[in-house]
């Protein structure tokens, strides 16, 4: 599962939209036989020269995580923890 939070991509995302998506997961997945759920990445990728081509091709990949590149929680982190009942 994943949802990007970058505003500078098309279509634009945001940290608020990412958190809303996490909050909607129970409704989106209701009725499915799910035994576990994994988020695509814990921390955003740091922008590095070696990743420039990837950045141009798929900039959304740099903002898919629940923590930013400095490991600070994004708004979606709290929503993710709430899915399992807290920290």
């Amino acid at each position: 599962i994943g949802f990007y939070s970058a505003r500078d991509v098309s279509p634009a995302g945001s940290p608020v939209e990412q958190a809303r998506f996490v909050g909607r997961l129970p409704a989106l997945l209701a009725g499915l036989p799910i035994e576990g759920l994994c988020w695509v990445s814990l921390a955003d990728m740091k922008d590095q020269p070696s990743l420039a081509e990837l950045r141009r091709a798929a900039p959304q990949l740099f903002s898919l995580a629940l923590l930013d590149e400095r490991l600070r929680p994004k708004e979606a982190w709290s929503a993710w923890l709430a899915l399992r009942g807290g920290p």
Side-chain angles (χ1 to χ4, degrees):
I1 300 279
F3 193 98
Y4 60 90
S5 62
R7 291 183 177 100
D8 60 345
V9 297
S10 181
S14 75
V16 170
E17 287 180 54
Q18 185 185 44
R20 284 185 189 142
F21 174 76
V22 173
R24 288 194 318 264
L25 284 174
L28 293 170
L29 303 173
L32 298 175
I34 294 180
E35 294 184 26
L37 192 61
C38 296
W39 195 261
V40 68
S41 180
L42 183 60
D44 284 340
M45 290 191 287
K46 293 182 180 180
D47 208 356
Q48 301 176 32
S50 63
L51 299 173
E53 190 173 328
L54 177 61
R55 178 78 150 149
R56 281 190 298 279
Q60 297 89 341
L61 295 178
F62 288 77
S63 70
L64 278 172
L66 299 169
L67 307 177
D68 70 14
E69 64 183 38
R70 294 182 183 161
L71 304 180
R72 295 175 299 201
K74 296 187 203 176
E75 293 176 44
W77 178 246
S78 296
W80 182 258
L81 293 178
L83 289 179
R84 64 180 191 96

